[in-house]
Amino acid sequence: MLTVWVPEVPSHGDANRAVLREVAHWLRVPRSSVALLGGAASRIKTVLVADLAHLPAPDSDRLRDKPKAQLPHVRPTGGDQDSRT
């Protein structure tokens, strides 16, 4: 689970596009690899990211430490906290 902050207001999809852009940048994947699956009108979003095979394990230093310094708007918030699955 990630927490993402964006300055864009939720108007005409601007905030949703900003969230997808930040997630793609944080994961170092093309923006076209990130899609919004659910939560378009909600503060909680469900995002699909394609082509994750090249990424390190979620507990690696790259995903835990470096993005916090590089992108202050994105930070991991723990392991799999989605109890709906």
Side-chain angles (χ1 to χ4, degrees), residues 18-46:
V19 166
L20 297 177
R21 183 184 64 239
E22 291 291 332
V23 169
H25 185 86
W26 188 72
L27 291 173
R28 299 179 190 147
V29 298
R31 167 55 189 87
S32 59
S33 294
V34 182
L36 185 65
L37 290 183
S42 172
R43 293 180 65 165
I44 297 175
K45 314 284 184 203
T46 302

Side-chain angles (χ1 to χ4, degrees), residues 41-65:
S42 172
R43 293 180 65 165
I44 297 175
K45 314 284 184 203
T46 302
V47 176
L48 172 69
V49 182
D51 302 324
L52 289 178
H54 70 282
L55 291 178
D59 60 346
S60 74
D61 288 339
R62 177 179 153 206
L63 293 182
R64 184 179 306 138
D65 299 327

Side-chain angles (χ1 to χ4, degrees), residues 1 9-10 16 20-21 23 28 41-42 44-45 50 74 77 79 81 84-85:
M1 182 186 228
V9 296
N16 289 334
L20 297 177
R21 183 184 64 239
V23 169
R28 299 179 190 147
S42 172
I44 297 175
K45 314 284 184 203
V74 180
T77 56
Q81 297 178 358
R84 294 173 292 173
T85 58

